[in-house]
Amino acid sequence: MGGSRNQVNKAHKTRFASKSSRNVHKISSKDKRKIVKPDRNLTKGARAARLQRNKMMREQKRAELLKEKRASSGSNSPPKVIVLFGLSGSVDLSVLEQDLLKLLSADGTGVVFPAVASLEYKLRAMVLKAPHGDVLACMEMAKVADLIAFVASASSTNEEDCYIDAFGSHCLSVFRALGLPSTAVLIRDLSGDLKMKNDSKKACASSLASEFPEDCKFYPADTKDELHKFLWIFKEQRLSVPHWRNPRPYLMAQKVDMVADNPISGKCTLLLSGYIRARSLSVNQLVHITGAGDFQLSKIELLKDPCPLNVRKDLMESDEMNEAQVISCLTPDPMEQETLLVENVPDPLAGEQTWPTEAEMAEAERNNEERKLKRKTLPKGTSEYQAAWIVEDSDADVSESENEEDDGMVLDEGENAFNSQGHMDEFELDDDQASLSLESDEETETHSMMMDPENLTKEQIEDEIRKIKEAHAEDEEFPDEVDTPLDVPARKRFAKYRGLKSFRTSSWDPKESLPQEYARIFAFDNFTRTQKHVLSRAREMEQKDDECIPAGSYARLHIREVPIGVANKLNLVTKTMPVTLCGLMQHESKISVLHFSIKKHDSYTAPIKAKEEMIFNLGFRQFVSRPIFSSDSINADKQKMERFLHPGRFSVASIYAPISFPPLPLIALKIKDDTTSATIAAIGSLRSIDPDRIILKKIILTGYPQRVSKLKATVRYMFHNPEDVRWFKPVEVWSKCGRRGRIKEPVGTHGSMKCILNGILQQHDTVCMSLFKRTYPKWPEKWFPITDA
């Protein structure tokens, strides 16, 4: 009957199925032969290639480790730098230094220059004594140290600071921020009795274990045998250094000399002698002297090693008079040498507007006539506020009622805050409902506790505003609140500010209204790609033997065009701390906008305000900056500016500074009033280089309800004249109790305004308006701390 409409079910499976039906899904042996199988030899070849590739990678890593070990412990490696740091002021480092030098020196006198070579330990080393109380000198020594030997005294009787005092703890935190190299703890002043000695050592190790890494060892260091054991273990162990040292060559100067080129110009050639460390140094690359700035090299002289390891004593004595024997000399290639380019040279005519042609002027007149003839058609009952949000293809004139008012301020579009609240029906009020008198019987409170503003003087208004702010707001909870000035119109005072519908989603052009400083800086199209290219170029440069001095060589660097005053100051610096020079990669002398992840140091209690002058120690580099601080939000492309660096949490500091490629640690110093010393103020690390990062300064204008009736309220003291109310009319208002709304119209002549909100406004509530302005770092007056006076 149904024909093709009959239901056809799947055949039922029975246990009495035939053998053929049970095997119907299987493939016959004949068909299996027809199926082309992959060649097993190809599979085996791919597997063999994969195994071979993994084997080659393992061999390359093993070769790199072996090369690093030979470079760090071989006879051609530079002398190891051992920094002695006393954990408390009661530790005598001079005696320990002399004991170590006597063990290392061949004659046992302890008089060495620039390092000591020990044939017994097959080791070359330099021993530096960190001055207790000078945190800057200790920090510079920690940057170049291969081993930091922390010295503790077991005979300390102070219960509060038994083994480590406040300065020791302060320096330890700075060393951790820089990155600790290999560490060891030497315990002095132990008892002569064996049992008491072991107990004292265990007590010291138990007390200090939490301050140091887990692999840090504790050694007694009173007798010659104990120091001998320590040096032997030190010679055998593989030293670790902070990762930020490896990409760049650096030199700790053993000698600082100067040759005056031209006394009239005030420039000289600075001569720095020392061992090249970490990487090979090219004569064509730029160098940075810590605190002094970036310079070019005029030549590099490879000198005979003054402290060889495998040379007989008689030959050393015969060569004492000729220590500065020059083996070879490298001069830069003018075509290959990096140029000392710091700032970009802006084109003054780049932003000039050419005079329009007659055709362009005629077209502009026609467009103006079309705009005048075309009028905006609005739906019936559309209010002025709703009409402002209707977007058309052309800039049509607004209605006559809007022409009578002043133009409003700029409001960036984004997510509609009213739609997100789900109360659009409450805002779609017709003109009759919007014009209801607020002085009806349905007011929550018929009169405010304030006085009538029409009869108040300027002093009375200021006094009343101050009292209200003290009662309704706290600075810690609402740090962005500002007062609207009485003598300056708000539309002029806050002309650079604008409103945002949504801080997260509203658009803000990063190229809009940039300051003049942005014409002097450099930017990358793709920073990650540029960094990879620069690192690969640095590796290629090391392969050129004709322009590089290998690591471990003793060389004299001729640095040209150094101010004479800077050279004299560097001679004075060598008496208290080491003078360090590091090689720069491509682009690292150019100025850009650098962003740091920064945190206020626990020991610094004074407030750190934005745009105050600070000294940033970035690895081996040091420069003066005036940073601004901002939040770090991953959900938005805009960040909120912070007026102060708050303790206990990380912020982002943005500065104008020479480009540096991360990773690099940051130690920020705060300059004191006397400008003779600085203290550790903050620590952090380099985050990125990005001039397009948008940092917005937020201000909040506040007003207070005078009369409230259902969804309407009269607010005063946010503005002081009706023109300002009309100017800020497009900006959304909100209250501290969670209400959101808009400005309807001004009321009276003293700046009161009528607002419509999405709920009943409480009389004790505060009405706020958020405004935003993009901010930029402050251009420093000088780039480097050591400058020619």
Side-chain angles (χ1 to χ4, degrees), residues 251 271-274 276 281 283 297-304 324-331 549 553-559:
L251 177 143
L271 308 181
L272 297 183
S273 302
I276 308 296
L281 179 64
V283 70
L297 295 173
S298 59
K299 65 178 177 179
I300 299 179
E301 294 178 341
L302 179 61
L303 305 180
K304 184 177 180 180
Q325 181 179 353
V326 179
I327 299 177
S328 63
C329 181
L330 298 180
T331 56
I549 297 294
S553 305
Y554 189 78
R556 181 193 295 140
L557 308 184
H558 293 248
I559 306 165

Side-chain angles (χ1 to χ4, degrees), residues 316-383:
M316 293 176 61
E317 292 178 353
S318 62
D319 292 340
E320 275 186 1
M321 303 303 294
N322 193 16
E323 288 184 358
Q325 181 179 353
V326 179
I327 299 177
S328 63
C329 181
L330 298 180
T331 56
D333 184 359
M335 302 299 295
E336 297 289 337
Q337 189 176 22
E338 292 284 343
T339 58
L340 188 59
L341 183 61
V342 178
E343 297 181 14
N344 188 17
V345 180
D347 185 3
L349 301 179
E352 289 293 327
Q353 176 65 41
T354 57
W355 188 260
T357 62
E358 295 182 359
E360 293 175 344
M361 295 177 66
E363 184 180 358
E365 291 180 359
R366 287 196 302 268
N367 293 336
N368 291 333
E369 292 296 333
E370 291 177 0
R371 291 193 187 99
K372 292 179 180 179
L373 295 175
K374 188 176 180 180
R375 299 180 60 86
K376 183 186 295 185
T377 57
L378 302 175
K380 185 178 181 180
T382 304
S383 63

Side-chain angles (χ1 to χ4, degrees), residues 373-412:
L373 295 175
K374 188 176 180 180
R375 299 180 60 86
K376 183 186 295 185
T377 57
L378 302 175
K380 185 178 181 180
T382 304
S383 63
E384 298 175 3
Y385 177 79
Q386 294 168 338
W389 287 97
I390 297 177
V391 181
E392 295 187 358
D393 295 335
S394 61
D395 298 332
D397 289 348
V398 296
S399 60
E400 296 180 359
S401 60
E402 291 177 337
N403 286 333
E404 295 174 359
E405 297 180 353
D406 294 339
D407 293 334
M409 71 174 299
V410 177
L411 179 67
D412 286 352

Side-chain angles (χ1 to χ4, degrees), residues 529-590:
R529 182 179 60 192
T530 303
Q531 184 175 4
K532 290 181 180 179
H533 173 72
V534 169
L535 292 176
S536 63
R537 186 176 183 273
R539 287 191 293 267
E540 293 175 358
M541 188 186 301
E542 290 184 0
Q543 306 301 325
K544 299 178 181 179
D545 298 333
D546 56 341
E547 65 178 44
C548 290
I549 297 294
S553 305
Y554 189 78
R556 181 193 295 140
L557 308 184
H558 293 248
I559 306 165
R560 67 183 186 186
E561 295 184 359
V562 179
I564 297 178
V566 173
N568 293 329
K569 291 180 181 179
L570 290 175
N571 279 319
L572 298 177
V573 168
T574 54
K575 299 178 181 178
T576 57
M577 65 181 72
V579 173
T580 309
L581 175 143
C582 71
L584 299 181
M585 298 183 186
Q586 188 182 14
H587 306 306
E588 284 197 327
S589 65
K590 302 173 183 177

Side-chain angles (χ1 to χ4, degrees), residues 51-103:
L51 295 176
Q52 181 67 19
R53 184 173 62 254
N54 294 339
K55 182 180 177 181
M56 291 177 60
M57 293 175 63
R58 288 195 301 269
E59 290 178 353
Q60 288 178 359
K61 291 183 179 179
R62 190 179 296 111
E64 289 178 359
L65 291 175
L66 184 60
K67 181 180 178 181
E68 180 183 353
K69 183 177 180 181
R70 289 174 178 174
S72 61
S73 60
S75 59
N76 295 328
S77 63
K80 304 301 178 186
V81 180
I82 304 175
V83 175
L84 303 178
F85 179 79
L87 293 176
S88 62
S90 60
V91 178
D92 187 6
L93 297 179
S94 301
V95 178
L96 179 60
E97 181 186 15
Q98 293 298 324
D99 293 342
L100 288 174
L101 292 177
K102 287 180 181 179
L103 283 175

Side-chain angles (χ1 to χ4, degrees), residues 501-671:
K501 295 293 292 182
S502 173
F503 185 85
R504 183 177 64 88
T505 60
S506 295
S507 61
W508 195 298
D509 187 6
K511 306 296 185 183
E512 175 189 358
S513 301
L514 296 176
Q516 295 182 354
E517 288 80 7
Y518 265 54
R520 305 162 65 181
I521 67 174
F522 295 85
F524 298 111
D525 291 335
N526 189 324
F527 176 72
T528 304
R529 182 179 60 192
T530 303
Q531 184 175 4
K532 290 181 180 179
H533 173 72
V534 169
L535 292 176
S536 63
R537 186 176 183 273
R539 287 191 293 267
E540 293 175 358
M541 188 186 301
E542 290 184 0
Q543 306 301 325
K544 299 178 181 179
D545 298 333
D546 56 341
E547 65 178 44
C548 290
I549 297 294
S553 305
Y554 189 78
R556 181 193 295 140
L557 308 184
H558 293 248
I559 306 165
R560 67 183 186 186
E561 295 184 359
V562 179
I564 297 178
V566 173
N568 293 329
K569 291 180 181 179
L570 290 175
N571 279 319
L572 298 177
V573 168
T574 54
K575 299 178 181 178
T576 57
M577 65 181 72
V579 173
T580 309
L581 175 143
C582 71
L584 299 181
M585 298 183 186
Q586 188 182 14
H587 306 306
E588 284 197 327
S589 65
K590 302 173 183 177
I591 303 297
S592 186
V593 182
L594 277 64
H595 306 284
F596 300 86
S597 180
I598 193 171
K599 180 182 178 182
K600 190 174 182 181
H601 199 266
D602 296 335
S603 63
Y604 195 81
T605 57
I608 302 177
K609 191 178 180 181
K611 298 185 180 180
E612 287 186 346
E613 191 173 273
M614 302 178 71
I615 298 177
F616 274 38
N617 285 268
L618 189 62
F620 290 114
R621 307 184 74 178
Q622 192 179 88
F623 40 79
V624 181
S625 62
R626 303 180 71 176
I628 60 172
F629 307 112
S630 61
S631 61
D632 186 17
S633 175
I634 61 176
N635 297 326
D637 59 348
K638 298 173 286 295
Q639 311 299 331
K640 181 179 174 297
M641 175 188 167
E642 297 175 351
R643 292 175 174 84
F644 293 90
L645 183 60
H646 300 287
R649 61 184 177 89
F650 278 93
S651 298
V652 177
S654 304
I655 63 171
Y656 292 115
I659 293 172
S660 298
F661 292 101
L664 285 171
L666 169 67
I667 304 294
L669 307 177
K670 191 69 175 63
I671 304 173

